[in-house]
Amino acid sequence: MHSMAPQSRDGRPRALSGAQPSADSYHLGNYFGAFKQWVTLQEEFDAFYFIPDLHAITVEYDPALLRERTYVAAAQMIAAGVDPGRSALFVQSHVPEHAQLAWVLGSITGFGEASRMTQFKDKSVKGGQDSSSVGLFTYPILMAADILIYQADKVPVGEDQRQHIELTRNLAQRFNHRFGETFTVPEPHIVKSAAKIYDLQDPTAKMSGSSQSHAGVVDLTDTPQQVAKKFRSAVTDSGTEISFDPQGKPGISNLLTIYSALTDRPIADIVTEFQGQQYGHLKVAIADLTADFVGAFGDRTRQLLDDRSELDRILADGAARAREVAVPTLELVYERSGFVTP
Ligand code: TYM
């Protein structure tokens, strides 16, 4: 019988995150908002990174495409720097405890509480609330289970996931209060400078894989030519001065944010460098740098995708490591919930 929440074997704190395989490729927003932080955190944290395929089926989708996108997702996470030797990299559906815990958490979630999730509201408005699935509605509860099943301390995500992590914290605290200390209450890890990358054609909307047009979305599978074209035709603001002013100059500010994330230089330095120059100069500089970055990224991804059996091996190993933590957490939750031990 367990009396305490299972902790990291070596005493390191845990990090956990996931990114949906719901487009043909991840984009620059996923990379700067999430993956870059995943890679940094794996140095010091016991890290778990996964592909939430169960989340991806909550909207209309094609099964053959999902399978292919799951492999691409794994390859892109590794190309981004996730080290499967260090971090457990796995597919959500390979660890059945996520869905099992989601059921228990759903039973302590208020209907009104779930109804207030803004991402559900946004997504269901697009397709009409009546045609939205129950899975899309309960999606944040599954996400809470993803996090709590690993007793994660930190969850590196972009700004758009903040509300889901707040729900996760509330559910963890509620369960602990009703049934005894069981879950670690996680903290979001949101790096302000890259927490929200905007669409290059509409710099007031976030860059998103589900956008109708990808003219303003830089995909990590784009060719260097496509990348260059997208930056050259990026919508900028009236005026000519290059300055960081997200309200007044959202287009230029977004470009400065991307340039800063790409070079790891402070925005103020970049503004100084481009003083007296035109918007076009900045666009060309970013286009060149990003084209190089995405080009190299694409080469690495293709190499990884050429060896599917190696990817299968990595994902199986990741799932086995994930289950070492997920199984005892679920056992503890079942015991606390009053279920008879089988
Ligand atoms: P998803 O798949 O939409 O996005 C994956 C990660 O990328 C971040 N992101 C961005 N960051 C900055 N600018 C952008 N334009 C941008 N677009 C996306 C997201 O914030 C996210 O960190 N529900 C999650 C997936 C998920 C998850 C989890 C995350 C399922 N279970 C458990 C963390 C922990 C989602 O849909 O993210």
Side-chain angles (χ1 to χ4, degrees), residues 16-20 27 29-30 33-34 50 52 55 119 123 139 143 146-147 155-161 164 194-198 206-208:
L16 169 127
S17 201
Q20 286 200 69
H27 54 72
N30 299 130
F50 73 100
H55 279 114
Q119 196 168 60
K123 287 194 181 180
Y139 170 122
M143 178 162 163
D146 297 336
I147 298 168
V155 187
V157 286
E159 182 60 42
D160 59 350
Q161 299 301 315
H164 291 156
K196 195 165 181 185
I197 303 293
Y198 294 88
K206 80 168 176 186
M207 189 176 281
S208 162

PDB file of all heavy atoms in Angstrom, residues 16-20 27 29-30 33-34 50 52 55 119 123 139 143 146-147 155-161 164 194-198 206-208, ligand 1:
ATOM      1  N   LEU A  16       7.049  18.167 -17.534  1.00  0.00           N
ATOM      2  CA  LEU A  16       6.221  17.415 -18.472  1.00  0.00           C
ATOM      3  C   LEU A  16       5.575  18.360 -19.461  1.00  0.00           C
ATOM      4  O   LEU A  16       5.141  19.452 -19.095  1.00  0.00           O
ATOM      5  CB  LEU A  16       5.100  16.671 -17.729  1.00  0.00           C
ATOM      6  CG  LEU A  16       4.075  16.116 -18.732  1.00  0.00           C
ATOM      7  CD1 LEU A  16       3.833  14.657 -18.535  1.00  0.00           C
ATOM      8  CD2 LEU A  16       2.798  16.914 -18.739  1.00  0.00           C
ATOM      9  N   SER A  17       5.505  17.937 -20.737  1.00  0.00           N
ATOM     10  CA  SER A  17       4.710  18.708 -21.694  1.00  0.00           C
ATOM     11  C   SER A  17       4.371  17.857 -22.920  1.00  0.00           C
ATOM     12  O   SER A  17       4.937  16.786 -23.116  1.00  0.00           O
ATOM     13  CB  SER A  17       5.442  19.988 -22.125  1.00  0.00           C
ATOM     14  OG  SER A  17       4.505  20.909 -22.635  1.00  0.00           O
ATOM     15  N   GLY A  18       3.418  18.380 -23.706  1.00  0.00           N
ATOM     16  CA  GLY A  18       3.008  17.690 -24.925  1.00  0.00           C
ATOM     17  C   GLY A  18       2.636  18.695 -26.004  1.00  0.00           C
ATOM     18  O   GLY A  18       2.376  19.865 -25.714  1.00  0.00           O
ATOM     19  N   ALA A  19       2.632  18.239 -27.261  1.00  0.00           N
ATOM     20  CA  ALA A  19       2.218  19.098 -28.385  1.00  0.00           C
ATOM     21  C   ALA A  19       1.430  18.231 -29.364  1.00  0.00           C
ATOM     22  O   ALA A  19       1.907  17.159 -29.775  1.00  0.00           O
ATOM     23  CB  ALA A  19       3.429  19.722 -29.059  1.00  0.00           C
ATOM     24  N   GLN A  20       0.240  18.690 -29.704  1.00  0.00           N
ATOM     25  CA  GLN A  20      -0.685  17.878 -30.504  1.00  0.00           C
ATOM     26  C   GLN A  20      -0.187  17.606 -31.925  1.00  0.00           C
ATOM     27  O   GLN A  20       0.281  18.525 -32.599  1.00  0.00           O
ATOM     28  CB  GLN A  20      -2.011  18.623 -30.643  1.00  0.00           C
ATOM     29  CG  GLN A  20      -2.823  18.618 -29.399  1.00  0.00           C
ATOM     30  CD  GLN A  20      -4.264  18.924 -29.730  1.00  0.00           C
ATOM     31  OE1 GLN A  20      -4.962  18.118 -30.353  1.00  0.00           O
ATOM     32  NE2 GLN A  20      -4.699  20.094 -29.349  1.00  0.00           N
ATOM     33  N   HIS A  27       5.051  24.354 -35.955  1.00  0.00           N
ATOM     34  CA  HIS A  27       5.440  25.641 -36.528  1.00  0.00           C
ATOM     35  C   HIS A  27       6.376  26.391 -35.578  1.00  0.00           C
ATOM     36  O   HIS A  27       6.666  25.904 -34.471  1.00  0.00           O
ATOM     37  CB  HIS A  27       4.197  26.465 -36.877  1.00  0.00           C
ATOM     38  CG  HIS A  27       3.234  26.634 -35.725  1.00  0.00           C
ATOM     39  ND1 HIS A  27       3.495  27.443 -34.641  1.00  0.00           N
ATOM     40  CD2 HIS A  27       2.020  26.077 -35.477  1.00  0.00           C
ATOM     41  CE1 HIS A  27       2.482  27.387 -33.787  1.00  0.00           C
ATOM     42  NE2 HIS A  27       1.567  26.554 -34.270  1.00  0.00           N
ATOM     43  N   GLY A  29       5.922  28.909 -33.733  1.00  0.00           N
ATOM     44  CA  GLY A  29       5.330  29.225 -32.429  1.00  0.00           C
ATOM     45  C   GLY A  29       5.510  28.067 -31.459  1.00  0.00           C
ATOM     46  O   GLY A  29       5.884  28.265 -30.296  1.00  0.00           O
ATOM     47  N   ASN A  30       5.274  26.840 -31.922  1.00  0.00           N
ATOM     48  CA  ASN A  30       5.486  25.661 -31.072  1.00  0.00           C
ATOM     49  C   ASN A  30       6.960  25.583 -30.654  1.00  0.00           C
ATOM     50  O   ASN A  30       7.273  25.262 -29.513  1.00  0.00           O
ATOM     51  CB  ASN A  30       5.163  24.357 -31.814  1.00  0.00           C
ATOM     52  CG  ASN A  30       3.727  24.249 -32.280  1.00  0.00           C
ATOM     53  OD1 ASN A  30       3.465  23.951 -33.443  1.00  0.00           O
ATOM     54  ND2 ASN A  30       2.778  24.495 -31.396  1.00  0.00           N
ATOM     55  N   GLY A  33       7.738  28.817 -28.354  1.00  0.00           N
ATOM     56  CA  GLY A  33       6.894  28.852 -27.158  1.00  0.00           C
ATOM     57  C   GLY A  33       7.083  27.633 -26.273  1.00  0.00           C
ATOM     58  O   GLY A  33       6.955  27.722 -25.055  1.00  0.00           O
ATOM     59  N   ALA A  34       7.381  26.480 -26.896  1.00  0.00           N
ATOM     60  CA  ALA A  34       7.417  25.246 -26.106  1.00  0.00           C
ATOM     61  C   ALA A  34       8.749  24.489 -26.248  1.00  0.00           C
ATOM     62  O   ALA A  34       9.494  24.351 -25.271  1.00  0.00           O
ATOM     63  CB  ALA A  34       6.249  24.347 -26.508  1.00  0.00           C
ATOM     64  N   PHE A  50       5.566  14.230 -24.587  1.00  0.00           N
ATOM     65  CA  PHE A  50       4.742  13.243 -25.279  1.00  0.00           C
ATOM     66  C   PHE A  50       3.898  13.855 -26.385  1.00  0.00           C
ATOM     67  O   PHE A  50       3.713  15.066 -26.471  1.00  0.00           O
ATOM     68  CB  PHE A  50       3.853  12.507 -24.269  1.00  0.00           C
ATOM     69  CG  PHE A  50       2.728  13.349 -23.741  1.00  0.00           C
ATOM     70  CD1 PHE A  50       1.451  13.205 -24.246  1.00  0.00           C
ATOM     71  CD2 PHE A  50       2.954  14.290 -22.755  1.00  0.00           C
ATOM     72  CE1 PHE A  50       0.408  13.985 -23.769  1.00  0.00           C
ATOM     73  CE2 PHE A  50       1.924  15.082 -22.269  1.00  0.00           C
ATOM     74  CZ  PHE A  50       0.647  14.922 -22.779  1.00  0.00           C
ATOM     75  N   PRO A  52       0.245  13.994 -27.749  1.00  0.00           N
ATOM     76  CA  PRO A  52      -1.120  13.726 -27.289  1.00  0.00           C
ATOM     77  C   PRO A  52      -2.056  13.325 -28.431  1.00  0.00           C
ATOM     78  O   PRO A  52      -2.866  14.125 -28.898  1.00  0.00           O
ATOM     79  CB  PRO A  52      -1.554  15.044 -26.630  1.00  0.00           C
ATOM     80  CG  PRO A  52      -0.606  16.080 -27.095  1.00  0.00           C
ATOM     81  CD  PRO A  52       0.578  15.427 -27.734  1.00  0.00           C
ATOM     82  N   HIS A  55      -5.779  13.570 -27.611  1.00  0.00           N
ATOM     83  CA  HIS A  55      -6.329  14.923 -27.766  1.00  0.00           C
ATOM     84  C   HIS A  55      -6.635  15.241 -29.230  1.00  0.00           C
ATOM     85  O   HIS A  55      -7.578  15.967 -29.533  1.00  0.00           O
ATOM     86  CB  HIS A  55      -5.351  15.969 -27.220  1.00  0.00           C
ATOM     87  CG  HIS A  55      -5.420  16.121 -25.737  1.00  0.00           C
ATOM     88  ND1 HIS A  55      -4.381  15.767 -24.902  1.00  0.00           N
ATOM     89  CD2 HIS A  55      -6.398  16.577 -24.933  1.00  0.00           C
ATOM     90  CE1 HIS A  55      -4.731  16.018 -23.641  1.00  0.00           C
ATOM     91  NE2 HIS A  55      -5.950  16.500 -23.633  1.00  0.00           N
ATOM     92  N   GLN A 119     -10.389  27.896 -24.584  1.00  0.00           N
ATOM     93  CA  GLN A 119      -9.981  27.243 -25.827  1.00  0.00           C
ATOM     94  C   GLN A 119     -11.145  26.429 -26.407  1.00  0.00           C
ATOM     95  O   GLN A 119     -11.340  26.402 -27.616  1.00  0.00           O
ATOM     96  CB  GLN A 119      -8.759  26.348 -25.608  1.00  0.00           C
ATOM     97  CG  GLN A 119      -8.092  25.983 -26.926  1.00  0.00           C
ATOM     98  CD  GLN A 119      -6.720  25.356 -26.733  1.00  0.00           C
ATOM     99  OE1 GLN A 119      -6.564  24.324 -26.102  1.00  0.00           O
ATOM    100  NE2 GLN A 119      -5.715  25.994 -27.295  1.00  0.00           N
ATOM    101  N   LYS A 123     -12.677  27.026 -30.079  1.00  0.00           N
ATOM    102  CA  LYS A 123     -12.712  25.941 -31.075  1.00  0.00           C
ATOM    103  C   LYS A 123     -14.133  25.558 -31.426  1.00  0.00           C
ATOM    104  O   LYS A 123     -14.427  25.190 -32.559  1.00  0.00           O
ATOM    105  CB  LYS A 123     -11.966  24.709 -30.552  1.00  0.00           C
ATOM    106  CG  LYS A 123     -10.468  24.892 -30.544  1.00  0.00           C
ATOM    107  CD  LYS A 123      -9.762  23.562 -30.356  1.00  0.00           C
ATOM    108  CE  LYS A 123      -8.245  23.767 -30.328  1.00  0.00           C
ATOM    109  NZ  LYS A 123      -7.522  22.523 -30.158  1.00  0.00           N
ATOM    110  N   TYR A 139     -11.544  17.777 -22.978  1.00  0.00           N
ATOM    111  CA  TYR A 139     -10.122  17.833 -23.334  1.00  0.00           C
ATOM    112  C   TYR A 139      -9.231  18.370 -22.199  1.00  0.00           C
ATOM    113  O   TYR A 139      -8.197  17.783 -21.871  1.00  0.00           O
ATOM    114  CB  TYR A 139     -10.071  18.692 -24.592  1.00  0.00           C
ATOM    115  CG  TYR A 139      -8.769  19.153 -25.133  1.00  0.00           C
ATOM    116  CD1 TYR A 139      -8.400  18.829 -26.439  1.00  0.00           C
ATOM    117  CD2 TYR A 139      -7.896  19.950 -24.404  1.00  0.00           C
ATOM    118  CE1 TYR A 139      -7.215  19.290 -26.966  1.00  0.00           C
ATOM    119  CE2 TYR A 139      -6.717  20.399 -24.923  1.00  0.00           C
ATOM    120  CZ  TYR A 139      -6.375  20.066 -26.205  1.00  0.00           C
ATOM    121  OH  TYR A 139      -5.203  20.504 -26.725  1.00  0.00           O
ATOM    122  N   MET A 143      -5.978  16.694 -20.207  1.00  0.00           N
ATOM    123  CA  MET A 143      -4.689  17.397 -20.089  1.00  0.00           C
ATOM    124  C   MET A 143      -4.248  17.453 -18.624  1.00  0.00           C
ATOM    125  O   MET A 143      -3.063  17.276 -18.315  1.00  0.00           O
ATOM    126  CB  MET A 143      -4.808  18.803 -20.685  1.00  0.00           C
ATOM    127  CG  MET A 143      -3.538  19.607 -20.548  1.00  0.00           C
ATOM    128  SD  MET A 143      -3.516  21.011 -21.682  1.00  0.00           S
ATOM    129  CE  MET A 143      -2.220  21.984 -20.904  1.00  0.00           C
ATOM    130  N   ASP A 146      -2.796  14.172 -17.869  1.00  0.00           N
ATOM    131  CA  ASP A 146      -1.446  14.044 -18.462  1.00  0.00           C
ATOM    132  C   ASP A 146      -0.386  14.559 -17.500  1.00  0.00           C
ATOM    133  O   ASP A 146       0.705  13.995 -17.387  1.00  0.00           O
ATOM    134  CB  ASP A 146      -1.311  14.910 -19.724  1.00  0.00           C
ATOM    135  CG  ASP A 146      -2.243  14.533 -20.860  1.00  0.00           C
ATOM    136  OD1 ASP A 146      -2.687  13.370 -20.899  1.00  0.00           O
ATOM    137  OD2 ASP A 146      -2.529  15.421 -21.706  1.00  0.00           O
ATOM    138  N   ILE A 147      -0.717  15.652 -16.861  1.00  0.00           N
ATOM    139  CA  ILE A 147       0.263  16.338 -16.009  1.00  0.00           C
ATOM    140  C   ILE A 147       0.343  15.662 -14.636  1.00  0.00           C
ATOM    141  O   ILE A 147       1.426  15.360 -14.133  1.00  0.00           O
ATOM    142  CB  ILE A 147      -0.134  17.824 -15.859  1.00  0.00           C
ATOM    143  CG1 ILE A 147      -0.122  18.514 -17.237  1.00  0.00           C
ATOM    144  CG2 ILE A 147       0.782  18.535 -14.861  1.00  0.00           C
ATOM    145  CD1 ILE A 147      -0.760  19.893 -17.259  1.00  0.00           C
ATOM    146  N   VAL A 155       5.502  22.686 -16.040  1.00  0.00           N
ATOM    147  CA  VAL A 155       4.908  22.379 -17.334  1.00  0.00           C
ATOM    148  C   VAL A 155       5.254  23.508 -18.313  1.00  0.00           C
ATOM    149  O   VAL A 155       4.649  24.579 -18.285  1.00  0.00           O
ATOM    150  CB  VAL A 155       3.373  22.232 -17.220  1.00  0.00           C
ATOM    151  CG1 VAL A 155       2.784  21.742 -18.532  1.00  0.00           C
ATOM    152  CG2 VAL A 155       3.004  21.271 -16.092  1.00  0.00           C
ATOM    153  N   PRO A 156       6.268  23.288 -19.169  1.00  0.00           N
ATOM    154  CA  PRO A 156       6.651  24.334 -20.117  1.00  0.00           C
ATOM    155  C   PRO A 156       5.666  24.418 -21.291  1.00  0.00           C
ATOM    156  O   PRO A 156       5.529  23.469 -22.060  1.00  0.00           O
ATOM    157  CB  PRO A 156       8.040  23.890 -20.605  1.00  0.00           C
ATOM    158  CG  PRO A 156       8.080  22.408 -20.379  1.00  0.00           C
ATOM    159  CD  PRO A 156       7.170  22.111 -19.229  1.00  0.00           C
ATOM    160  N   VAL A 157       4.993  25.544 -21.417  1.00  0.00           N
ATOM    161  CA  VAL A 157       3.981  25.754 -22.468  1.00  0.00           C
ATOM    162  C   VAL A 157       3.973  27.217 -22.900  1.00  0.00           C
ATOM    163  O   VAL A 157       4.576  28.070 -22.247  1.00  0.00           O
ATOM    164  CB  VAL A 157       2.550  25.426 -21.967  1.00  0.00           C
ATOM    165  CG1 VAL A 157       2.317  23.926 -21.840  1.00  0.00           C
ATOM    166  CG2 VAL A 157       2.254  26.134 -20.654  1.00  0.00           C
ATOM    167  N   GLY A 158       3.233  27.504 -23.961  1.00  0.00           N
ATOM    168  CA  GLY A 158       2.982  28.872 -24.390  1.00  0.00           C
ATOM    169  C   GLY A 158       1.807  29.453 -23.597  1.00  0.00           C
ATOM    170  O   GLY A 158       1.099  28.737 -22.879  1.00  0.00           O
ATOM    171  N   GLU A 159       1.601  30.737 -23.791  1.00  0.00           N
ATOM    172  CA  GLU A 159       0.585  31.479 -23.029  1.00  0.00           C
ATOM    173  C   GLU A 159      -0.826  30.878 -23.173  1.00  0.00           C
ATOM    174  O   GLU A 159      -1.610  30.877 -22.227  1.00  0.00           O
ATOM    175  CB  GLU A 159       0.595  32.940 -23.522  1.00  0.00           C
ATOM    176  CG  GLU A 159      -0.356  33.873 -22.828  1.00  0.00           C
ATOM    177  CD  GLU A 159      -0.090  33.997 -21.324  1.00  0.00           C
ATOM    178  OE1 GLU A 159       1.079  34.078 -20.914  1.00  0.00           O
ATOM    179  OE2 GLU A 159      -1.079  33.994 -20.566  1.00  0.00           O
ATOM    180  N   ASP A 160      -1.132  30.346 -24.361  1.00  0.00           N
ATOM    181  CA  ASP A 160      -2.505  29.858 -24.607  1.00  0.00           C
ATOM    182  C   ASP A 160      -2.895  28.666 -23.716  1.00  0.00           C
ATOM    183  O   ASP A 160      -4.073  28.317 -23.645  1.00  0.00           O
ATOM    184  CB  ASP A 160      -2.692  29.510 -26.096  1.00  0.00           C
ATOM    185  CG  ASP A 160      -1.725  28.437 -26.580  1.00  0.00           C
ATOM    186  OD1 ASP A 160      -0.785  28.078 -25.847  1.00  0.00           O
ATOM    187  OD2 ASP A 160      -1.912  27.953 -27.711  1.00  0.00           O
ATOM    188  N   GLN A 161      -1.923  28.050 -23.044  1.00  0.00           N
ATOM    189  CA  GLN A 161      -2.238  26.896 -22.198  1.00  0.00           C
ATOM    190  C   GLN A 161      -2.365  27.246 -20.715  1.00  0.00           C
ATOM    191  O   GLN A 161      -2.611  26.387 -19.870  1.00  0.00           O
ATOM    192  CB  GLN A 161      -1.168  25.796 -22.375  1.00  0.00           C
ATOM    193  CG  GLN A 161      -1.078  25.254 -23.796  1.00  0.00           C
ATOM    194  CD  GLN A 161      -2.399  24.665 -24.261  1.00  0.00           C
ATOM    195  OE1 GLN A 161      -3.061  23.922 -23.539  1.00  0.00           O
ATOM    196  NE2 GLN A 161      -2.819  25.023 -25.473  1.00  0.00           N
ATOM    197  N   HIS A 164      -5.552  26.135 -18.843  1.00  0.00           N
ATOM    198  CA  HIS A 164      -5.632  24.689 -18.627  1.00  0.00           C
ATOM    199  C   HIS A 164      -4.776  24.260 -17.435  1.00  0.00           C
ATOM    200  O   HIS A 164      -5.121  23.323 -16.715  1.00  0.00           O
ATOM    201  CB  HIS A 164      -5.185  23.938 -19.885  1.00  0.00           C
ATOM    202  CG  HIS A 164      -6.139  24.091 -21.037  1.00  0.00           C
ATOM    203  ND1 HIS A 164      -5.757  23.932 -22.355  1.00  0.00           N
ATOM    204  CD2 HIS A 164      -7.447  24.397 -21.067  1.00  0.00           C
ATOM    205  CE1 HIS A 164      -6.796  24.120 -23.146  1.00  0.00           C
ATOM    206  NE2 HIS A 164      -7.833  24.410 -22.388  1.00  0.00           N
ATOM    207  N   ALA A 194       8.709  34.641 -25.445  1.00  0.00           N
ATOM    208  CA  ALA A 194       8.299  33.854 -26.619  1.00  0.00           C
ATOM    209  C   ALA A 194       6.981  33.131 -26.373  1.00  0.00           C
ATOM    210  O   ALA A 194       6.666  32.167 -27.052  1.00  0.00           O
ATOM    211  CB  ALA A 194       9.386  32.845 -26.979  1.00  0.00           C
ATOM    212  N   ALA A 195       6.206  33.617 -25.398  1.00  0.00           N
ATOM    213  CA  ALA A 195       4.999  32.889 -24.994  1.00  0.00           C
ATOM    214  C   ALA A 195       3.890  32.942 -26.029  1.00  0.00           C
ATOM    215  O   ALA A 195       2.981  32.118 -26.029  1.00  0.00           O
ATOM    216  CB  ALA A 195       4.487  33.442 -23.667  1.00  0.00           C
ATOM    217  N   LYS A 196       3.970  33.938 -26.924  1.00  0.00           N
ATOM    218  CA  LYS A 196       2.945  34.012 -27.968  1.00  0.00           C
ATOM    219  C   LYS A 196       3.551  34.605 -29.239  1.00  0.00           C
ATOM    220  O   LYS A 196       3.823  35.800 -29.300  1.00  0.00           O
ATOM    221  CB  LYS A 196       1.766  34.870 -27.479  1.00  0.00           C
ATOM    222  CG  LYS A 196       0.532  34.700 -28.330  1.00  0.00           C
ATOM    223  CD  LYS A 196      -0.699  35.245 -27.637  1.00  0.00           C
ATOM    224  CE  LYS A 196      -1.934  35.046 -28.500  1.00  0.00           C
ATOM    225  NZ  LYS A 196      -3.128  35.673 -27.905  1.00  0.00           N
ATOM    226  N   ILE A 197       3.759  33.733 -30.217  1.00  0.00           N
ATOM    227  CA  ILE A 197       4.251  34.157 -31.524  1.00  0.00           C
ATOM    228  C   ILE A 197       3.002  34.355 -32.396  1.00  0.00           C
ATOM    229  O   ILE A 197       2.095  33.516 -32.385  1.00  0.00           O
ATOM    230  CB  ILE A 197       5.174  33.070 -32.133  1.00  0.00           C
ATOM    231  CG1 ILE A 197       6.358  32.747 -31.198  1.00  0.00           C
ATOM    232  CG2 ILE A 197       5.655  33.463 -33.529  1.00  0.00           C
ATOM    233  CD1 ILE A 197       7.367  33.845 -31.001  1.00  0.00           C
ATOM    234  N   TYR A 198       2.984  35.446 -33.143  1.00  0.00           N
ATOM    235  CA  TYR A 198       1.787  35.781 -33.927  1.00  0.00           C
ATOM    236  C   TYR A 198       1.932  35.390 -35.390  1.00  0.00           C
ATOM    237  O   TYR A 198       3.048  35.211 -35.905  1.00  0.00           O
ATOM    238  CB  TYR A 198       1.501  37.280 -33.790  1.00  0.00           C
ATOM    239  CG  TYR A 198       1.107  37.664 -32.381  1.00  0.00           C
ATOM    240  CD1 TYR A 198       2.085  38.008 -31.442  1.00  0.00           C
ATOM    241  CD2 TYR A 198      -0.221  37.649 -31.970  1.00  0.00           C
ATOM    242  CE1 TYR A 198       1.744  38.330 -30.136  1.00  0.00           C
ATOM    243  CE2 TYR A 198      -0.581  37.975 -30.671  1.00  0.00           C
ATOM    244  CZ  TYR A 198       0.402  38.309 -29.757  1.00  0.00           C
ATOM    245  OH  TYR A 198       0.061  38.618 -28.463  1.00  0.00           O
ATOM    246  N   LYS A 206      -2.693  34.476 -32.954  1.00  0.00           N
ATOM    247  CA  LYS A 206      -1.513  33.640 -32.681  1.00  0.00           C
ATOM    248  C   LYS A 206      -1.215  32.753 -33.887  1.00  0.00           C
ATOM    249  O   LYS A 206      -2.130  32.362 -34.615  1.00  0.00           O
ATOM    250  CB  LYS A 206      -1.704  32.829 -31.403  1.00  0.00           C
ATOM    251  CG  LYS A 206      -2.536  31.591 -31.562  1.00  0.00           C
ATOM    252  CD  LYS A 206      -2.475  30.670 -30.355  1.00  0.00           C
ATOM    253  CE  LYS A 206      -3.434  29.518 -30.636  1.00  0.00           C
ATOM    254  NZ  LYS A 206      -3.635  28.584 -29.573  1.00  0.00           N
ATOM    255  N   MET A 207       0.060  32.477 -34.086  1.00  0.00           N
ATOM    256  CA  MET A 207       0.442  31.534 -35.137  1.00  0.00           C
ATOM    257  C   MET A 207      -0.141  30.183 -34.743  1.00  0.00           C
ATOM    258  O   MET A 207       0.064  29.721 -33.622  1.00  0.00           O
ATOM    259  CB  MET A 207       1.969  31.472 -35.239  1.00  0.00           C
ATOM    260  CG  MET A 207       2.460  30.703 -36.432  1.00  0.00           C
ATOM    261  SD  MET A 207       4.269  30.726 -36.611  1.00  0.00           S
ATOM    262  CE  MET A 207       4.578  32.329 -37.338  1.00  0.00           C
ATOM    263  N   SER A 208      -0.897  29.553 -35.664  1.00  0.00           N
ATOM    264  CA  SER A 208      -1.591  28.321 -35.306  1.00  0.00           C
ATOM    265  C   SER A 208      -1.601  27.346 -36.471  1.00  0.00           C
ATOM    266  O   SER A 208      -1.844  27.739 -37.619  1.00  0.00           O
ATOM    267  CB  SER A 208      -3.032  28.676 -34.915  1.00  0.00           C
ATOM    268  OG  SER A 208      -3.838  27.526 -34.952  1.00  0.00           O
TER     269      SER A 208
HETATM  270  P1  TYM B   1      -0.641  22.679 -28.834  1.00  0.00           P
HETATM  271  O1  TYM B   1      -0.454  21.342 -29.422  1.00  0.00           O
HETATM  272  O2  TYM B   1      -1.654  23.586 -29.435  1.00  0.00           O
HETATM  273  O3  TYM B   1       0.731  23.461 -28.816  1.00  0.00           O
HETATM  274  C1  TYM B   1       1.943  22.864 -28.355  1.00  0.00           C
HETATM  275  C2  TYM B   1       2.749  23.896 -27.574  1.00  0.00           C
HETATM  276  O4  TYM B   1       3.066  25.028 -28.398  1.00  0.00           O
HETATM  277  C3  TYM B   1       2.644  26.239 -27.764  1.00  0.00           C
HETATM  278  N1  TYM B   1       2.214  27.177 -28.816  1.00  0.00           N
HETATM  279  C4  TYM B   1       2.682  28.427 -28.947  1.00  0.00           C
HETATM  280  N2  TYM B   1       3.585  29.131 -28.244  1.00  0.00           N
HETATM  281  C5  TYM B   1       3.854  30.397 -28.654  1.00  0.00           C
HETATM  282  N3  TYM B   1       3.258  30.972 -29.738  1.00  0.00           N
HETATM  283  C6  TYM B   1       2.343  30.307 -30.474  1.00  0.00           C
HETATM  284  N4  TYM B   1       1.790  30.874 -31.535  1.00  0.00           N
HETATM  285  C7  TYM B   1       2.015  28.976 -30.089  1.00  0.00           C
HETATM  286  N5  TYM B   1       1.165  28.033 -30.587  1.00  0.00           N
HETATM  287  C8  TYM B   1       1.297  26.947 -29.796  1.00  0.00           C
HETATM  288  C9  TYM B   1       1.486  25.803 -26.883  1.00  0.00           C
HETATM  289  O5  TYM B   1       1.248  26.737 -25.848  1.00  0.00           O
HETATM  290  C10 TYM B   1       1.973  24.467 -26.376  1.00  0.00           C
HETATM  291  O6  TYM B   1       2.856  24.633 -25.302  1.00  0.00           O
HETATM  292  N6  TYM B   1      -3.327  21.201 -24.940  1.00  0.00           N
HETATM  293  C11 TYM B   1      -1.992  21.308 -25.478  1.00  0.00           C
HETATM  294  C12 TYM B   1      -1.308  19.958 -25.639  1.00  0.00           C
HETATM  295  C13 TYM B   1      -1.242  19.178 -24.374  1.00  0.00           C
HETATM  296  C14 TYM B   1      -0.409  19.442 -23.249  1.00  0.00           C
HETATM  297  C15 TYM B   1      -0.706  18.416 -22.306  1.00  0.00           C
HETATM  298  C16 TYM B   1       0.516  20.438 -22.958  1.00  0.00           C
HETATM  299  C17 TYM B   1      -1.976  18.050 -24.090  1.00  0.00           C
HETATM  300  N7  TYM B   1      -1.637  17.603 -22.842  1.00  0.00           N
HETATM  301  C18 TYM B   1      -0.083  18.396 -21.058  1.00  0.00           C
HETATM  302  C19 TYM B   1       1.149  20.393 -21.724  1.00  0.00           C
HETATM  303  C20 TYM B   1       0.847  19.397 -20.789  1.00  0.00           C
HETATM  304  C21 TYM B   1      -2.091  21.950 -26.848  1.00  0.00           C
HETATM  305  O7  TYM B   1      -3.087  21.871 -27.511  1.00  0.00           O
HETATM  306  O8  TYM B   1      -0.940  22.535 -27.275  1.00  0.00           O
END
